[in-house]
Every structure is written in structure tokens, then in C-alpha cells.
Amino acid sequence: MTAATTTRLSLRRQLLLWLLLPQLVLWAGGGLLAYRIALSYAEKGIDQSLTQSVRALARQVKPIGSGLLIDFPRAAQDVLEQDPKDRISYMVSSPPGQFLLGNQTLPQPAEGTVGTEEPLLYASEIDGKPLRIVALDVNYGEDNAPQTLRVQVGKSLAVQQRIARELIADMLAPLLAAGVLLSLAVYGGIQRGLAPLTRLTAQLENRSVNALSPIGMTQAPNEVHALVQAINGLLDEVARNVNQEKRFINDAAHQLRTPLAGLISQVELAQRENADPVLGARLTKVRTGAERSAHLVHQLLTLARTETTARREPLDLAALARDVAREWTPRAVSEGVDLGFEGEEHRMVQGDALQLREAMANLIDNALRYTPRGSAVTLKVEADGERTRLLVEDNGPGLSEADMSHVFQRFWRASELPGGCGLGLAIVQEIARRHGGEATAENMQPHGLRITLNLTA
């Protein structure tokens, strides 16, 4: 699963994100809602308990003349204060705020909010801990001197919140386990659903450049079948275009080579029968131009073939290189160049024998063309780990640093010597790339040029 510089999520990740993210959001939202509901019901229970307690405590306050009798036995106080973690605090004050009995720390409600009929429930804090308090006022005394007694009962919310958290934990633990199982089921379903796409990707990655036969996909969803049909349609169109191009190349080879060969033959006959030196010079120019045109046609057709076909099959590159060197030895001898071969006895590679033979021929031809008499040209095959290197070295003049960057460009020539067309090394580079490698050029010391083809073994 790469290309330009844009960040792209895979289809599998997008499906997982869109299926599992809402589930996670709903799980978290449901947990928060359940926690709030649990707190609300716990608070209602506390409010009811506190209301009952404040009414019961208020009934224990009995007015006597202008005074009060608070009948609140010690046993009742012990019951209220027996649990230090869930302690119920109370306070009796008269007038309101003036402590009489209980805990002096209970906060007072806002002025004028407490009634004598209905208790007032309000929230407050003691030492930073939340507290729920209920307050009820009781009137007593003579009509001409009425007085008010305030009864307050408070309870900490810490235990209530702890119980709510435990309740939520007990509820969410099974839901979390179910969510994990559901996530695994979703992931497995996505894997199974994307399996046809994975098989299709594997088929496309393992196909060679020239494999244009239709893709077979028997068990796949309709959407994948539609994609396969579209790809097969494209492959069929490409196959038709490649066949048309091959026919054009073959027709061009026949239509161009035959007239040029005939022209060269006629010029050779004319040269033999001609005695005029001026006409002879002109015929020589015509013959040179025709031979260069024939060579150019051959190179163009070779370049076109290397761009459209590349059969990969096991072959012994060392044996092939020895045969090519042997074929070019007569020309090397005629031009006064020592052509030789060095390398391993056998070296197997996956490649196209015709294209590799063409690459060696172009390299040797290039070396013989641009090295002076008395030079040496060596064809080598070397092992480089899992790769194989094919080299052609000469001890000629080499190339300048400025020319080195153009050596594999089409129609570029480093010399104006007759015969070349600037396509030989471009063909070599194209053949190297068709075999999963690259062609490189470097100057040798003290002089000379080395062309290297890096091939997969």
C-alpha cells in the first residue's frame, strides 16, 4: 500500500473509522448519560430521605411558653452520626443562624428562601466536598413576640457519587466487552469484504508489463466484477493498440529496409563501374548517407521494440556475452582493436536474450566506433550479490564531465564521426530498465569509458 506526496487513507482504514468511531462515540455518550441518570436518581433518593429527616427532627422541637423543648435523645444523634463516610449532619438554630444544637458548620441558605410549610433543598460544600442540605423553619412563641426556629439536615454526596460510578462501571464493563467483540466482527467483515480487491491487487502486481490477457475473477461482489470488467476492457484496448503498433513496426521495417538495401547495392555497383573521380566522390557520399539511414532505421525499430516487448525467461548471461564477443571479433580485428571477454563461467538471469544481445551489440559498436586503433575493449559479466552487472570497458579518450550527463539521451552524439545516429546508448538504457535495472556511465583512470548495466539475477 505509495506515490506522490498526498496523504491517503486506505479503504480498510476508512471503513474501520466510519464503522467504529460512531460506536465509540455512542458508547461514551451512553456512559455519560447513564452516569447522569444514576446521579439524578440517587439525588432524588437523598432528597426524599433528607426531607423525612428534617420533618422528623422538627417534630421533636416543642414550644413551651416562650421557650423550646428539644426532645432529641442521644441515641438518635448516634444513629445520624454513626457512619463517618456517609455522615448525616444536622443543625438547630434560633433565630436562624444562631446555633443551638448539632453541627455549627452547616452553611445557611439565602435569606428569605426557607418556608415553614415546605422544606428547602439546596446544594453547598464543606471542606471542598459536595453537600446536599434541607432546611425547614418552625414558628413558636407568643403572638405578640413570634420567633423562628430553623432545622437543617445535610448529607455528603461523596458516597452517592461513588455508588453511581460503581453502577456505571458495572453497566459499562459488559458493554465494553460487547463493543470489543463487535469491533472484531466488523474488522473480520471488512477483511472478508475486501478480500476480492486484495486478490485483484495481487494479480495486477504479479503481471508482467506485456501480459494483456483478461483478468479472471470468479468469486467477487458485483462492484468488484464491474471493476474487473472495466480493467479487462482497458487491457483489451491496449492489446489492440500494441498489436497495431507491432504491425506498423514490421511493415515499416520491410518498407524502409528493402529500398535502402537496394539503394546501397546500386551505389556499390555504380562505384565499381565509375571511372570519374568527381562522380565517385558523390557516390561515396550517397552510399554513406544510405548506410547511415539504414542504421538509423534499424536503431529506431530496435528502440520501438524494446519499448513494447520484454520477455523474461532464464538465460545464461555469461554464455550469451561470450557469443556476442565472438561475433564482433572480426570487425574488432579489422579496426585494430583488441576485443575480449572476462567474467564468470555461468551466470543465470531473468531476461530477454534478443534485447540483451542488442544491448551488448550497441555497447561494443559504440566502443569500436569511438576508440582509436590499438585500443582494447572488454565485455564483462560480474556478480554483485543478488544482482548481475554487465560491463563494457574501453581505454579510449572517454567523455568530458559535461558530456557525461547527456550520454543516454536520444539523438545526442559526443562526436561528429560518420556512422552513428545517437540512439545506441538510449536503447541500452531502455533495455536495462526493461530488466529492472539501470545503465550508468563513468570514466576510467587514466582514460577510457565504462558502461554498466545492473540487472536482477
Side-chain angles (χ1 to χ4, degrees):
M1 309 176 178
T2 105
T5 55
T6 55
T7 303
R8 294 173 292 183
L9 285 176
S10 68
L11 180 59
R12 181 180 291 102
R13 290 183 180 178
Q14 290 188 49
L15 289 174
L16 283 173
L17 181 65
W18 286 107
L19 289 175
L20 297 183
L21 185 60
Q23 174 186 329
L24 180 62
V25 171
L26 290 175
W27 185 85
L32 180 60
L33 181 61
Y35 179 70
R36 287 188 169 276
I37 292 174
L39 282 179
S40 174
Y41 277 99
E43 188 174 292
K44 288 180 180 179
I46 290 176
D47 289 349
Q48 185 177 2
S49 174
L50 289 176
T51 301
Q52 293 174 354
S53 298
V54 76
R55 290 187 184 277
L57 185 57
R59 284 194 294 268
Q60 304 304 315
V61 180
K62 301 178 177 61
I64 301 177
S66 60
L68 289 172
L69 172 62
I70 302 177
D71 184 13
F72 197 49
R74 183 65 187 175
Q77 298 181 40
D78 293 340
V79 170
L80 290 174
E81 300 175 355
Q82 66 179 349
D83 188 358
K85 294 184 179 180
D86 192 20
R87 184 173 180 176
I88 297 178
S89 303
Y90 65 95
M91 178 176 172
V92 179
S93 57
S94 180
Q98 296 293 325
F99 174 77
L100 291 179
L101 181 68
N103 307 94
Q104 294 184 356
T105 56
L106 284 181
Q108 295 295 316
E111 189 69 27
T113 58
V114 183
T116 58
E117 300 294 335
E118 290 294 330
L120 173 67
L121 290 159
Y122 61 96
S124 186
E125 288 185 356
I126 294 181
D127 299 330
K129 296 180 180 179
L131 195 70
R132 190 71 173 169
I133 304 174
V134 61
L136 179 65
D137 285 351
V138 178
N139 294 327
Y140 69 96
E142 303 295 336
D143 293 339
N144 57 353
Q147 298 186 53
T148 303
L149 173 77
R150 177 167 293 170
V151 180
Q152 293 172 269
V153 179
K155 187 174 183 179
S156 172
L157 296 178
V159 174
Q160 168 244 1
Q161 292 177 349
R162 176 175 57 82
I163 294 174
R165 287 193 295 268
E166 291 176 354
L167 177 62
I168 295 304
D170 292 340
M171 291 173 55
L172 293 185
L175 291 178
L176 178 60
V180 172
L181 294 177
L182 179 60
S183 301
L184 293 176
V186 168
Y187 182 78
I190 291 175
Q191 289 286 90
R192 184 178 179 85
L194 295 180
L197 287 179
T198 303
R199 294 197 300 269
L200 177 60
T201 302
Q203 287 190 42
L204 293 176
E205 287 178 345
N206 295 329
R207 291 169 72 94
S208 66
V209 177
N210 302 299
L212 301 178
S213 59
I215 299 172
M217 185 69 69
T218 55
Q219 296 180 350
N222 293 333
E223 293 79 4
V224 178
H225 269 299
L227 176 61
V228 170
Q229 289 177 0
I231 295 176
N232 286 338
L234 178 62
L235 290 176
D236 184 60
E237 185 68 25
V238 172
R240 286 199 298 269
N241 291 336
V242 169
N243 291 331
Q244 291 177 359
E245 185 175 347
K246 287 181 179 179
R247 285 195 298 270
F248 169 77
I249 291 173
N250 293 331
D251 293 343
H254 176 73
Q255 296 297 328
L256 293 176
R257 283 176 174 175
T258 302
L260 287 174
L263 176 60
I264 293 172
S265 299
Q266 292 299 320
V267 171
E268 289 176 347
L269 291 175
Q271 284 180 317
R272 294 195 194 101
E273 297 174 357
N274 176 59
D276 185 356
V278 176
L279 181 59
R282 291 180 179 178
L283 289 174
T284 300
K285 291 183 179 180
V286 172
R287 179 180 176 180
T288 301
E291 289 176 345
R292 182 172 181 178
S293 298
H295 181 65
L296 176 61
V297 168
H298 172 75
Q299 294 290 68
L300 287 173
L301 294 176
T302 301
L303 183 61
R305 289 194 180 99
T306 59
E307 291 177 343
T308 56
T309 60
R311 293 176 300 177
R312 305 291 292 274
E313 55 188 9
L315 62 92
D316 189 343
L317 186 64
L320 180 64
R322 280 193 295 269
D323 291 343
V324 173
R326 193 177 299 113
E327 292 173 1
W328 282 82
T329 298
R331 176 180 164 183
V333 171
S334 66
E335 296 185 7
V337 176
D338 181 13
L339 175 61
F341 169 78
E342 295 180 8
E344 299 185 0
E345 187 68 21
H346 298 284
R347 184 61 179 176
M348 300 302 296
V349 299
Q350 291 286 333
D352 187 322
L354 291 177
Q355 289 193 9
L356 291 174
R357 180 183 291 273
E358 185 67 30
M360 296 180 207
N362 279 323
L363 290 174
I364 295 174
D365 176 68
N366 190 75
L368 295 178
R369 191 181 300 275
Y370 297 108
T371 54
R373 297 182 69 86
S375 301
V377 176
T378 305
L379 178 62
K380 296 182 178 181
V381 174
E382 297 179 353
D384 184 16
E386 295 183 356
R387 302 181 70 85
T388 301
R389 295 192 302 172
L390 175 67
L391 306 93
V392 173
E393 300 175 349
D394 66 66
N395 58 356
L399 293 173
S400 65
E401 291 299 325
D403 291 340
M404 195 66 70
S405 60
H406 305 288
V407 67
F408 295 109
Q409 292 181 1
R410 298 183 182 186
F411 300 105
W412 180 85
R413 300 182 64 200
S415 171
E416 295 300 325
L417 292 175
C421 60
L423 285 176
L425 293 182
I427 293 173
V428 170
Q429 181 68 278
E430 187 65 33
I431 292 174
R433 289 173 178 170
R434 287 286 171 174
H435 288 77
E438 193 80 11
T440 59
E442 58 181 328
N443 284 317
M444 299 176 60
Q445 298 298 329
H447 54 80
L449 184 67
R450 177 189 292 122
I451 305 294
T452 304
L453 273 71
N454 297 294
L455 308 172
T456 55

